[in-house]
Every structure is written in structure tokens, then in C-alpha cells.
């Protein structure tokens, strides 16, 4: 017989280690431990059985995986941290003695430099792993690229972030790997697909960020340190695999003048240098980097022609190859077969979406995202107003090669326009070409659109009608390209009829009517109040005639009863019944009553008026049917649930909770939409 | 306190009821003493005492009744008794020095006096010894115990001193006494506490009283006025000396004021007027150094940037090795993509109405379901910055390194998320795309083709009864033999294995094993010949051993085909009972199976090459046999009949599984090299993928062809490709990746339609085969050509 095993010597109790113990084991301070965890990507775990791990104590503790901590023991960074601590002590001592020069010297020479290369390699053994984890890195770095430098964020870090981000954007542009983008209230989302990995990042709008509140920039700084290293290596790999020299030439002067992307000049690898020079994409960036504002109209148009030729030849080539190298589209010949999805080879499409156009960005549009997106989708000539910075294809708005102008200004009223245009023309004189300023005059053959057009075009992968996005027009809603329609969820792109369950529209209308009626009834009640005697009499009579009707009926009857004096009593009864009683009384009751009324009507010698009621009735019937069906289903479900064992019932309940919430949300949205549509209809009718 | 003292007095009176006479006397004495000190006090006492008589009475009654009274009374009584006893003892034990002690306890003192008097009387009356006889008969004086009364000792009566020596008095705290006197009698603790306090209250504090107890005697300590003064000064940190001034006036010796008489009469030294030479020297040194450039006036610090540039100058993933995923590792979940209501211009129904807005604003920031309120801006320029941006990123950072990660099973799993992601088009490459070579030469249809295990030759057989061997890359015909005049060659198949080159071909009821030595190297030819020749004796010897017991006709006859064919390289002829339509080899090349659909019991035959032996594994087969295959790794044998596929375990000789593809007429099938998947082509235009682990029903049913599918084939050389050939004149190439992971299904992606064969009399492509290594495939057409695709 083996020895009796001691408790707490194996399993969960040994697999997890509390943070305090971990820190003690590593013999470092808590902030150092935090940095180490961030660099190494170590995170706390939630043990499956907390009681076993905590050995009975119920305090809330964070646990780490013991092996993670054990690996940390051999981390070279740990030695660096210790070294740093020793130097810090020396510096502190020097400062205490008032030897500032000594302290500075120590800081300059002895502070150990931390390198994270090995950690990158260790955390991301393959390049694809690194790409998969790039989402957070990009979002963070793009944020930091837009932050002002401060005490916690040195300017060096920010310029590094900017550089890396621009380099990455350049890669996305030349590889045409941008897929989608979305303008949200938080910022602009982008999604690129690189080597099969979807990478999504968020770029804030260019405003001063609010950094107040309890934000610890030391933590963020640690992340940024790691992410810059990661993105640096990723960029290197991306560039070199694309045949480019990695640190691209950086023009500091242009950057200072706000050239941003254009401050970088990509170069092909030295061996294929000649080839790269004629490549088209790469040197184009170079020319745009130079971005002479004095580029002639003529040369520009020549350029355009050249490009057009190039693209056409490229297209021909593609056509020739298309027969052989591209995946064919398979179509099923019969219904009962499974359809296999095929990947879309859309890289070429993306590259050519905006290729034939020349864009001009007005000065009120966000230049950086538009430039990035347009270039990523094949546009090679993007010009903008001079105030937006260096690097434009052209800064002249009147350039005739411009095909599209992006404008985000409201259209001026016609009166305002007519006054102004004379003045600039007289100022310009005859020598200068007439300036085409947008609101005053439009260039023939140029399309004027709002920025949203660009986003909607790329998300749908085709050019949309520009007249919907004309300046000053009411824009169609901008939708997120990542939301996939799910069953039971509200989809704004579909008409209401396709997604609502049976009977919902009818019930909605009835509700509306009821609400209206209630409102009108209240008025009526007030009006009638003067003749109190009359009401009393009516109420009495009502209750005697129709048993089973609720108290709320009485006010509803007023108007009918008023003309009761004039009309025939039978007919009036009928009306009143029809309008209110359906909800309460059961079907059989209705049938019985209807029959009775018919009889009565027959006796009175009057044909019951079914025509006027039929539409309303039909709707009510539909609704009732739907309700009844729903009720039956619910009952059936309840019964089935009774059969389930307790455990499964609970599970079902949990699942149902989710679906119920979703349904409710969708219903709410549908209701709102219906209301909006109705209001619109009413407005149109007027 | 007052009632206590009164009671005590009463008790005292009770305790001495007998000697009234003495009390009178004592009263008188006491009266003198007390009156001398404090008259008013005593009179008061007297008054109180008289007034207390009634109380006292009740008390004594209480004592009689014992425990009929309330607790407080009882307690009082107890305290009384105890105190009384103590007093008695104390006074008995220590005859006091009257001058100092009388003040404290006048009552007890009187009592003590009484007793003293008693002692006097006793001594005068009695002898102090008795005479008895001892054991020897001598008289013995037995002295009485000496009563240590006042005058029993004639020595000078010393003050009673405590003899306990130099130990703290606190050791006696627990005892009623505080030490022993010279006679060894206990020195009782003087009365203390409440009784005493009451008394003190009633009398004046005497001069010099401190309230402290002298540790040596246990008696109150008294100090004189001077001593108290000294103590006071000590406590104030003052100097004890009389008339000392701690703050005398300051005298300014060195002041700005010039005195008539200076302290020193020395004249001003010269150095006060002459500039310092030493300093001049030092300054000149520095000036010189600056002039020579040895000292730079001020150098602005130069930032070193050299190191930073070469950070990312190498490919860290140059030789990447994928690491198997650790089961304990949980990757950080990605942030969800934005929804419709996050748009800067969402559909109007997503905008919150007033109530929702109010509800959102009322809820505490941390409890909000959404951290933002959907808002619509009618133009992009109106969109403001998002205030919580940095905060949200920071929270994400915290989540990344601080939040414990747990794997949770989601209840409502999105079925779409289970779908495998499609591989990218680049990843699917390579696959055949173009026609590389056309092999012309056959008259009529080409029925069957096969590429040899080396990938050099293509064998084909057609309706003209000729087997041809082509060079694969060039399309040149290398070798041909006419096997039959009337029968078409229905099947050709190379034997697997690279050490020898043997082709099996079937024409009509005959199967031929061919070694085309004309195109082979001599050693390959020799080994191939050896393989075929080993069985000759075996087949002949076996029946003779059983001595003709079996009168049955053997299932097949192995023979030499005749000199004409043997010259060409056709070495063995096997004649079976009905015409053979398909041949398929076992992977080791020892066995091959032939299918002759029309033969009822002889439909499936397995031939052993080394023994020249033929077996019929099935006595009766349900349905029409169409094709048969060996499992690539296990001893399992698949047989396709008209509408089902059965797999048999050859070792146990039992049926393993019946697959129901749901097809009307299976034309052919192929086994994936992994062995767990099948593709089945049918005459009713369907291509079916079967996962043997999954179910007996097909995993995917593909209908991409307009006409019947004639043949299907997996690539056997490791590429995830398969192809089918159809009567509509096209081949279709598919990507079919099978993952070892049981949880993941195979991914099938249609890749390519290869057109080129002409349709003749409603027949298109008859057969398809893959190159053993390259992504090339060959097809046989009804138009009399074969094509190689790459």
C-alpha cells in the first residue's frame, strides 16, 4: 500500500500561486512584477476550484499559474531589473550628497537598456501569431501617435509611435490589404487582412484627448514599449517580405510641414532596384512625397494618361491570366446539393476601386484617414488644400485632372452665393485662371461627395451613387460592416415586413390607435363633463346591456352615446362592442354575440353593416390568431419544460434568457422604426 | 462613605458589650484625647451615632435573619465584618506610637488601650509558671508562654520595624500583612481604602501630608515644607540653588558701535589692501586653459540617437518554428467589432428616446450597459472627440494584464463561428490549371489511364484494345502492345512500389501483367521479371498436393500469354470468368483486385502476385459490384456496389461498415491516403465526400457537373487535392484538406474546372489519375486523347 498522500501537495493547490507569493518568489517589487507580466504576457488565472487552491481561506486573491512564474525565474529581464535597482540606489545616493553631475553620469552610463527582442520571439513563435495579436498594439500606438507629449509620455515615444504607424499604413497601402473601415463615434475603425489574419484597429479623431482621471500612464507606457518593439519587427518583416527596404527613407523636413504619410519614401530592395523603379506603386509614393505644388496641369494630365494605360495593360494581363491562374467560380446545377464557399480573390478589385480617379480633399475634411483609405484602395492621386499639410498631389482646387472632390460643408443658400462670386474674380484678374471654389462654382465633370461616400464605397466594395452623398444632402445611415445579420436580431438593411413576426404590425397599429383614442377620450370626457346627468344615464344603460365589459368602457362610449339619441339603438350597440370588447372576451363569446346581434338585426329588419368594419376586423383577427398561436406555443413549451430534469431546465432557462433579451431589443427597434416610418409617411402626405 | 463609618462605629460598640465599665473609662479617655484635637467633629459623630441607632438595629436584625435581605445589605454587612476584623488584628498586633498615629484611627486606638489594660490586670493576678515532675521525677517548671505585653520586656522599646529587609513591599500585596516585626509577628497592613477616605474627608489634611506610603514602614509619608519646595523645583526643572537667574541680560562685546578703547590695538594688515596673488595665479591658469581650448565654456548635451536606429534591423521570425498550443494558455479575447449604434450616423431607430437617455444618464457610470450613448451627427465635421478614449484604452490595458482569464463554454454558440475559415487562394496553390500535354494515338475512346509510381510514364488503354505507354512530360509514345482485337482494354494500373515496374491491364476476361522492358533499365526489368516469375511453380504444385479433391474450376487461370506478347513484355495472362472492368492494387503490390461486374459470385477477385493465386472473397455479393479498393494502411477492403459501399476487415473476415451514399449508381470511388475519407462519383452527377468517422451518410454532396461522373481520384502524394472526371467533358479539381483533429471537419474548396476533352457520343472524360508527387493530373477522354494538366 502506498503512502497516504498529503493534502495540498499536488494538483490545483500546487498549480496556482497567489500574487504575493509570486512576487516573493521572484524577489522583485510589485511594479517590476507588473512590468514583467506585461512584457511576458502573463495574466492571472481563475482556478476552477478556488477552495482547493486557497486552502480554505475565503479572501479574494489573484492567482497566477505556477509554471508561468517558474519560467519567469529564468527571465533575463529579471537580471536587468535588479541591475536597474542597484543603479537607482547609486543615483539616489549621489543626489542625496548633492552630486548632480555624478548622478547624471551614472544615469547616462549605467542604466541598463532593456531589449525585448527575445520576448517577442518567445511570445510569438511565428509571424502569424504576431499578426493575430496586433489589434491592441495598433490601437494603442495610433492613440499614442495622436497624444501630446507630457511628463509621462516623452516626445521620443510619440515620434516613434507616429513613425511606426505611418510605416504600417504604408505597407497596408502598397499591399492593398485594407478591407473595411467604419466611422464610429469613438473614432475610425479599420480592418486589414494580412496573411489571412484579420487585424482591426481604432484610430481616434484628431482632437485633444482627455487624459484626466485615474489613468496610470506608467502602465500604458509599459504596454507601448512592448508594442513599439512588436510593431517594429512586424513592419520589418512585412516590408522585407514585400521586397522593400525596411526603415523607409524619412524626410524630417516634410514631416515637420505636416506631410505625414508622404514624409516616408519607400524603396525596393537593392538588387531589383531598377525593377522597383518602374513598378508603379512604390515610386509613385516617392513622387508624391516630393509633392511639388507647382506641378503643371499638363504634366498631371499626362501622368493620368500614363497611369490609365498602365492600369489598362495590367487589366489585360489579368484577363489573359484569368483563364488559368485564378480560382473558377463553381455553381451548383441542382437544388439539393451543398454549396461550398469559395474564397474571393479580391485583392485586384481592391487595388482598382479608386484607381482611375483623382481626388481632392477640401480643407474641412479629415485628411489623414481619407488619404490612407483612398490610397489603400488604389487611388494614386490625392490632392488637398494647402492648409492640410505637405505632400499633396495637387493643392490647386481648380486642377482639371481632379475627378472627385470631397466636401463636408453645407450648401450655401442661393442668395449668399450670388453675391460673393464677383469679388474673387475681379481680384484674380484676367491673367490667373478662374478659381473654381466649390460653393460658388462647380467644375464640369467633377463629382462632389461627402466623406461618408468613401467609407460606404469601400465597405460595399463598389462605387455607390454619388448623388446620395452630394454636399448638403441628408446622408443615408452609416452602417458597421462587421455586423452579420443573425436570426432573430433586428437588421436595419431589410424592410420591416421581412423580419417582423406575424401580427406584430397589427398589434402596433392597434396600440397606436388606442393611444390616440385615449388621448381623444380624455378630451371628450372633459367636454362632456358639463352634462353630468347624461353620462350617468348612459353608464347605467351600458352596464345593463353588456355584461362582462370593464369599467374603462364608459368613457369610450361617450361619443357614440351622444349620437345614440339620433341613431338606431341596435346599430350603436354593435359599434361600441366591436371597438372595445375584443381584447377581453373569448372567441366563442364573440361568435355567440355576433350571432345574437345578427338575429337582433334581422328582427329589426336591418342589414348589419359588415363592410365598414371588415378591414379593422381582419387586422384584429390576424392579431388574435397570432396571439393565440403564440399562447399555444408557450403552453406547449411549458409542458415540455415540465418534463425536463431540473438541471436541463435551468440550462434552458439561461439560454432562453439570452434569446428573450435579444428579441426584446429587436422588437423595440422595430417599434421605433415603425413609428419613424409612420411619421415620415405623414410628413410626405402633407 | 459616611454610612460605612457610622456602621463601623456601631459594630465596634457591639463588639464590646461586656466590659461596659472599661468602656466608660475609655470613653472618658477618648473624650479627652479627641476633644483636645477636634471638638466639633466628635460632637457631630455623636449626633450621627445617636441618629443611627435605629438603622443599626435593623442591621443586627438582618444578621439574625441572615439571608432574607437584599444583596446590597448583605454585601455591606460582609464588608463591615471583614473591616472590623482587620481593624482588630491591626490594633492587636501593633501597639502604635500614639503621637503619630492617633489621628488616623481614634476608635481603634481606644480599643487597643482597653486590651492593654486587660493585660495589666492578668499579670498581676497569676503566677507565670507551674511545677510538674518530669520523667526522672525531678521537678520541672513549666513556664507559661510569655505574653509580650508592654512591660514584659525591659529593654528600650524600639519602634516596631519591618524585618523583611530590602525587598519591595509589593510582594506582600496578596497578604493582609506587610511583613514581620522583630518578634516574628505579622505587621498588619494599615487600614486603607474606602473607610480611610471617608475619615479623611471628615478631617483636615495635616501639614506635610503627601498621601504617599513610606515603603519601609507602610505608613503614610510626611514631608516638611522645605522638602516639598525642593521637590516642586525639581519637577519644574529649576535649579535648586537660591537666587539663580536663568536668563541674564546679554552683553554685546562685538558690535557695530566703535568703542573708544578697541579690544586689539594692532594696526590693519597689508593684505587687507593688496589683491591676492594666489587668486590671480589660479584665474590665470583657467584663462590660459580656456585660451588653449582645454576648457570648453559650455557644451550643450548631445542626444545620442545612434543606438535607436538599428533596433529593428533583422527578421526576428527568420526561422520560425510553430509551437504547439499550450492547453493552459488562453489568448486575450479580441475586442468586439463596432455595432450599428456606434456609427456616427446610425439609422434613426438606434437613437435613444428621451426616457432611455434619461435612464442612461441616471445610471452610475460603472453600471452602464453601454459606455456610450448612440448619437447621430449629420456630417462628419460635426463629430466631436470621444472623451473616454484614453480611459477605455487604459481599461483594456488593465484587462490584458490584470484580469483573470477563464475559458467559458458559451451556451448559444453561433453556428457560423464553427464554420472553418476558408484558406486564402494563395494557400490553396498549387493545383493543375492548364493542359500541358496531349497524348494522341488511340483510336476510339481511351478507357483507362495510370501514371507509374516514379511519375515518368503514363499507361493508357482504350477501345482499340491497345495498351500504350507514354512519356509523361513530352507526350511521346514509348511503347504499345495490342492485347486483344475484339475487347477493349478497360483498365490499366501500375503496380505500386518503385523497385519494379509492372503494369496490369485488363482486356475482356483476361488480365495481363506487363513488364515493358524495352523502356526499362536492366536491373528494374530483372526485378520485375523476378516478381512475376516466382509464382509459376506454386500455382501448379498446390492443386496436386490436395490431389484434385476440388473438382471445381479454379477462379482464374494463370498462364503465359504466348510468344508474341511475351516478346513485347506481357509476361502473365490471367483468365477469369467474366470481363474485368477495374483493377486496383494493394499498396504493397503483392495483391491486386479486379472487378467484373457481370460475374455474380466472381465479381470481385483478389489475386496474389507471388503465388499466382486467385481468390474469390465473396460467395455472393449484394448488388452489382462497381469498384474496389484496399485501405491504404489497414487490412480493410472496400467494395462499391451499385448504391452502397461496404468495407470488410480482411484479417477478421467480417463486414465493418456499410456506407449509404444515397446515390442511384456509383461509378467509382477513391480512398483518401489517410484512410478515413472517401470520395464517391456517381452516374447521377453527384460527387460525395464520406467521412468514415462521422457517419454512413455523406458529409458533403456536391453537384457541380451537368453529366455523369466517371472517375474520381485523390492525390496520393501528400497534396490535399482530388479530381473528378465527368461526361460533360470537364475535370474538376478540388481542395480537400483533412485534419487529424477529430473535432474539425474536412475543408473542401472547389478550385478549377479543366476543359479540353471533347464530348463524343455523350461520353466525355473517362478516367483521371494523379501524378505521384507533383500537382499534375492526367485524364483519358472519349475523344481518343489523354491529357496532362499542370
Amino acid at each position: 500500500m502506498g503512502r497516504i498522500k498529503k493534502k495540498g501537495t499536488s494538483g490545483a493547490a500546487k498549480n496556482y500561486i497567489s500574487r504575493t507569493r509570486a512576487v516573493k518568489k521572484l524577489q522583485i517589487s510589485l511594479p517590476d512584477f507588473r512590468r514583467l507580466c506585461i512584457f511576458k504576457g502573463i495574466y492571472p488565472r481563475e482556478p476552477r476550484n478556488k477552495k482547493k487552491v486557497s486552502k480554505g481561506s475565503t479572501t479574494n486573491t489573484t492567482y497566477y499559474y505556477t509554471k508561468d512564474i517558474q519560467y519567469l525565474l529564468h527571465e533575463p529581464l529579471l537580471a536587468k531589473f535588479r541591475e536597474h535597482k542597484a543603479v537607482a540606489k547609486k543615483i539616489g545616493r549621489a543626489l542625496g550628497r548633492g552630486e548632480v553631475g555624478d548622478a547624471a553620469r551614472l544615469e547616462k552610463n549605467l542604466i541598463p537598456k532593456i531589449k525585448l527582442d527575445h520576448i517577442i520571439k518567445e511570445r510569438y513563435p511565428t509571424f502569424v501569431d504576431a499578426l493575430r495579436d496586433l489589434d491592441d498594439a495598433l490601437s494603442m500606438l495610433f492613440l499614442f501617435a495622436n497624444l501630446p507629449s507630457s511628463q509621462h509620455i516623452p516626445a521620443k515615444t510619440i515620434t516613434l509611435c507616429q513613425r511606426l504607424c505611418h510605416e504600417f499604413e504604408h505597407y497596408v497601402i502598397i499591399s492593398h490589404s485594407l478591407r473595411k473601415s467604419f466611422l464610429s463615434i469613438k473614432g475610425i475603425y479599420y480592418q486589414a487582412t494580412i496573411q489571412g489574419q484579420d487585424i482591426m484597429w481604432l484610430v481616434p479623431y484628431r482632437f485633444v484627448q482627455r487624459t484626466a482621471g485615474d489613468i496610470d500612464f506608467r502602465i500604458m507606457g509599459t504596454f507601448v514599449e512592448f508594442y513599439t518593439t512588436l510593431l517594429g519587427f512586424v513592419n520589418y518583416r512585412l516590408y522585407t517580405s514585400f521586397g522593400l527596404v525596411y526603415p523607409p527613407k524619412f524626410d524630417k523636413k516634410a514631416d515637420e510641414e505636416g506631410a505625414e504619410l508622404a514624409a516616408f519614401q519607400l524603396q525596393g530592395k537593392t538588387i531589383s532596384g531598377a525593377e522597383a523603379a518602374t513598378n508603379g506603386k512604390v515610386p509613385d509614393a516617392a513622387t508624391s512625397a516630393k509633392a511639388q505644388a507647382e506641378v503643371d496641369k499638363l504634366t498631371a494630365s499626362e501622368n493620368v494618361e500614363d497611369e490609365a494605360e498602365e492600369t489598362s495593360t495590367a487589366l489585360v494581363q489579368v484577363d489573359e491570366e484569368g483563364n488559368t491562374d485564378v480560382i473558377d467560380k463553381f455553381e451548383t446545377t441542382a437544388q439539393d446539393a451543398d454549396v461550398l464557399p469559395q474564397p474571393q480573390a479580391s485583392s485586384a478589385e481592391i487595388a482598382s476601386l479608386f484607381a482611375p480617379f483623382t481626388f481632392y480633399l477640401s480643407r474641412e475634411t479629415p485628411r489623414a484617414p481619407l488619404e490612407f483609405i483612398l490610397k489603400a484602395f488604389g487611388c494614386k492621386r490625392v490632392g488637398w488644400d494647402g492648409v492640410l499639410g505637405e505632400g499633396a498631389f495637387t493643392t490647386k482646387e481648380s486642377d482639371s485632372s481632379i475627378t472627385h472632390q470631397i466636401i463636408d460643408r453645407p450648401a450655401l443658400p442661393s442668395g449668399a452665393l450670388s453675391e460673393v462670386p464677383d469679388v474673387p474674380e475681379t481680384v484674380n484678374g484676367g491673367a490667373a485662371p478662374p478659381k473654381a471654389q466649390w460653393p460658388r462654382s462647380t467644375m464640369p465633370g467633377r463629382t462632389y461627395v461627402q466623406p461618408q461616400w468613401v467609407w460606404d464605397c469601400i465597405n460595399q466594395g463598389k462605387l455607390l451613387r454619388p448623388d446620395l452623398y452630394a454636399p448638403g444632402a441628408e446622408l443615408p445611415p452609416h452602417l458597421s460592416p462587421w455586423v452579420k445579420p443573425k436570426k432573430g436580431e433586428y437588421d436595419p438593411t431589410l424592410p420591416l415586413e421581412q423580419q417582423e413576426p406575424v401580427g406584430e404590425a397589427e398589434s402596433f397599429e392597434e396600440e397606436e390607435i388606442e393611444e390616440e383614442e385615449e388621448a381623444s377620450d380624455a378630451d371628450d370626457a372633459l367636454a362632456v363633463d358639463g352634462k353630468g346627468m347624461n353620462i350617468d344615464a348612459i353608464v347605467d344603460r351600458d352596464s345593463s346591456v353588456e355584461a362582462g365589459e370593464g369599467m374603462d368602457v364608459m368613457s369610450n362610449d361617450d361619443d357614440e352615446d351622444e349620437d345614440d339619441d339620433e341613431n338606431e339603438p341596435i346599430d350603436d350597440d354593435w359599434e361600441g362592442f366591436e371597438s372595445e370588447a375584443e381584447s377581453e372576451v373569448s372567441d366563442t363569446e364573440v361568435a355567440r354575440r355576433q350571432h345574437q346581434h345578427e338575429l337582433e338585426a334581422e328582427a329589426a329588419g336591418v342589414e348589419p353593416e359588415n363592410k365598414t368594419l371588415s378591414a379593422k376586423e381582419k387586422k384584429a383577427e390576424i392579431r388574435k390568431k397570432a396571439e393565440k398561436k403564440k399562447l399555444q406555443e408557450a403552453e406547449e413549451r411549458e409542458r415540455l419544460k415540465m418534463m425536463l430534469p431540473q438541471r436541463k431546465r435551468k440550462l434552458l432557462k439561461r439560454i432562453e434568457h439570452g434569446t428573450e433579451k435579444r428579441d426584446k431589443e429587436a422588437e423595440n427597434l422595430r417599434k421605433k422604426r415603425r413609428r419613424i416610418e409612420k411619421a415620415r409617411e405623414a410628413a410626405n402626405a402633407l | 462613605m459616611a454610612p460605612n463609618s457610622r456602621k463601623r462605629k456601631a459594630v465596634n460598640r457591639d463588639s464590646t458589650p461586656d466590659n461596659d465599665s472599661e468602656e466608660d473609662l475609655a470613653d472618658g479617655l477618648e473624650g479627652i484625647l479627641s476633644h483636645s484635637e477636634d471638638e466639633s467633629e466628635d460632637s457631630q459623630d455623636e449626633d450621627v451615632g445617636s441618629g443611627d441607632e435605629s438603622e443599626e438595629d435593623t442591621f443586627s436584625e438582618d444578621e439574625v435573619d441572615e439571608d432574607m435581605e437584599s444583596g446590597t445589605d448583605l454585601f455591606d454587612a460582609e464588608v463591615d465584618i471583614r473591616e472590623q476584623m482587620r481593624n482588630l488584628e491591626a490594633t492587636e498586633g501593633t501597639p502604635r506610637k500614639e503621637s503619630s498615629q492617633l489621628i488616623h484611627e481614634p476608635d481603634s486606638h481606644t480599643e487597643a488601650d482597653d486590651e492593654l489594660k486587660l493585660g495589666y490586670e492578668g499579670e498581676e493576678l497569676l503566677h507565670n509558671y507551674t511545677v510538674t515532675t518530669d520523667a526522672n521525677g525531678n521537678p520541672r517548671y513549666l513556664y507559661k508562654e510569655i505574653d509580650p505585653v508592654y512591660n514584659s520586656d525591659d529593654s528600650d522599646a524600639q519602634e516596631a520595624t519591618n524585618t523583611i529587609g530590602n525587598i519591595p513591599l509589593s510582594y506582600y500585596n496578596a497578604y493582609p500583612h506587610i511583613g514581620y516585626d522583630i518578634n516574628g509577628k505579622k505587621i498588619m497592613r494599615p487600614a486603607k481604602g474606602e473607610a480611610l477616605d471617608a475619615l479623611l474627608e471628615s478631617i483636615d489634611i495635616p501639614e506635610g501630608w503627601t498621601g504617599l506610603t513610606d515603603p519601609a514602614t507602610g505608613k503614610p509619608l510626611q514631608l516638611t515644607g522645605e522638602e516639598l519646595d525642593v521637590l516642586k523645583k525639581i519637577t519644574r526643572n529649576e535649579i535648586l540653588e537660591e537666587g539663580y537667574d536663568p536668563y541674564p541680560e546679554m552683553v554685546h562685546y562685538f558690535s557695530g558701535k566703535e568703542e573708544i578703547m578697541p579690544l586689539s590695538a594692532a594696526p590693519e594688515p597689508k593684505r587687507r589692501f593688496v589683491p591676492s596673488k594666489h587668486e590671480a595665479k589660479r584665474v590665470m591658469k583657467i584663462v590660459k586653459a580656456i585660451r588653449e581650448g582645454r576648457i570648453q565654456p559650455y557644451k550643450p548635451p548631445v542626444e545620442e540617437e545612434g543606438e535607436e536606429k538599428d533596433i529593428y534591423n533583422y527578421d526576428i521570425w527568420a526561422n520560425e518554428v510553430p509551437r504547439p498550443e499550450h492547453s493552459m494558455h488562453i489568448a486575450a479575447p479580441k475586442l468586439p467589432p463596432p455595432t450599428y449604434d456606434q456609427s456616427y450616423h446610425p439609422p434613426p431607430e438606434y437613437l435613444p428616446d428621451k426616457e432611455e437617455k434619461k435612464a442612461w444618464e441616471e445610471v452610475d457610470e460603472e453600471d452602464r450597459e453601454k459606455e456610450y450613448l448612440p448619437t447621430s451627427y449629420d456630417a462628419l465635421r460635426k463629430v466631436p472627440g470621444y472623451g473616454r478614449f484614453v480611459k477605455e484604452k487604459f481599461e483594456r490595458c488593465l484587462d490584458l494584464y490584470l484580469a483573470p482569464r477563464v475559458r467559458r463554454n458559451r451556451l448559444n454558440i453561433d453556428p457560423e463561428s464553427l464554420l472553418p475559415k476558408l484558406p486564402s487562394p494563395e494557400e490553396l496553390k498549387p493545383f493543375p490549371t492548364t493542359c500541358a500535354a496531349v497524348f494522341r494515338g488511340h483510336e476510339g475512346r481511351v478507357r483507362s489511364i495510370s501514371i507509374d509510381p516514379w511519375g515518368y510514364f503514363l499507361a493508357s488503354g482504350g477501345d482499340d484494345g491497345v495498351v500504350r505507354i507514354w512519356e509523361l512530360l513530352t507526350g511521346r509514345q514509348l511503347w504499345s502492345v495490342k492485347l486483344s482485337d475484339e475487347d477493349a482494354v478497360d483498365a490499366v494500373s501500375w503496380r505500386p512500389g518503385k523497385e519494379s515496374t509492372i503494369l496490369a491491364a485488363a482486356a475482356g476476361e483476361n488480365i495481363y501483367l506487363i513488364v515493358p522492358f524495352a523502356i526499362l533499365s536492366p536491373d528494374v526489368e530483372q526485378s520485375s521479371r523476378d516478381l512475376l516469375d516466382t509464382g509459376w511453380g506454386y500455382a501448379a504444385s498446390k492443386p496436386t498436393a490436395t490431389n484434385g479433391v476440388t473438382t471445381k474450376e479454379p477462379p482464374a487461370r494463370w498462364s503465359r500469354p504466348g510468344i508474341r506478347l511475351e516478346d513485347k513484355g506481357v509476361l502473365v495472362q490471367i483468365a477469369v470468368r467474366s470481363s474485368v472492368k477495374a483493377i486496383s492494387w494493394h499498396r504493397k503490390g503483392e495483391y491486386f483486385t479486379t472487378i467484373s461486374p457481370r460475374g455474380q459470385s466472381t465479381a470481385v477477385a483478389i489475386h496474389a502476385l507471388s503465388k499466382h493465386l486467385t481468390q474469390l472473397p465473396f460467395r455472393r455479393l449484394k448488388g452489382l459490384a462497381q469498384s474496389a479498393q484496399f485501405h491504404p494502411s489497414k487490412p480493410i477492403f472496400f467494395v462499391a456496389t451499385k448504391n452502397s459501399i461496404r468495407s470488410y476487415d480482411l484479417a477478421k473476415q467480417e463486414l465493418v461498415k456499410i456506407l449509404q451514399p444515397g446515390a442511384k449508381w456509383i461509378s467509382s470511388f477513391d480512398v483518401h491516403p489517410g484512410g478515413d475519407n472517401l470520395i464517391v462519383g456517381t452516374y447521377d452527377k453527384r460527387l460525395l465526400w464520406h467521412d468514415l468517422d462521422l457517419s454512413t451518410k455523406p458529409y458533403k454532396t456536391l453537384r457541380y457537373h451537368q453529366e455523369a461522373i466517371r472517375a474520381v481520384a485523390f492525390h496520393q502524394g501528400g497534396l490535399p487535392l482530388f479530381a473528378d472526371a465527368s461526361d460533360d467533358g470537364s475535370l474538376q479539381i478540388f481542395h480537400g484538406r483533412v485534419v487529424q483533429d477529430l473535432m474539425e471537419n474536412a475543408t473542401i474548396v472547389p478550385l478549377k474546372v479543366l476543359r479540353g476533352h471533347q464530348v463524343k457520343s455523350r461520353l466525355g472524360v473517362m478516367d483521371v489519375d494523379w501524378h505521384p508527387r507533383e500537382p499534375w493530373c492526367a485524364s483519358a477522354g472519349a475523344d481518343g486523347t489523354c491529357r496532362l494538366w499542370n
Side-chain angles (χ1 to χ4, degrees), chain A residues 172-178 280-281 284 307 311 347-359 370-382 458:
Chain A
V172 171
I173 287 171
I174 58 162
S175 65
H176 298 294
S177 42
L178 190 67
K281 294 163 196 164
D284 199 85
E307 306 275 7
T311 49
S347 178
E349 280 169 38
I350 284 167
S352 60
L353 185 64
F354 293 135
F357 308 131
T358 307
F359 279 87
L370 279 171
E371 184 195 359
F372 172 53
I373 288 177
L374 290 174
K375 285 187 172 166
F377 279 83
C379 179
K380 294 197 177 83
R381 298 170 301 278
V382 186
I458 63 162

Side-chain angles (χ1 to χ4, degrees), chain A residues 45 124 136 408 478 480 490, chain B residues 317 328 338 343 349 381 396:
Chain A
R45 314 291 178 116
Y124 308 111
D136 286 315
D408 199 6
H478 183 55
S480 165
Y490 172 69
Chain B
W317 293 284
M328 285 299 284
S343 168
E349 54 266 29
R381 68 173 187 283
R396 170 71 177 168

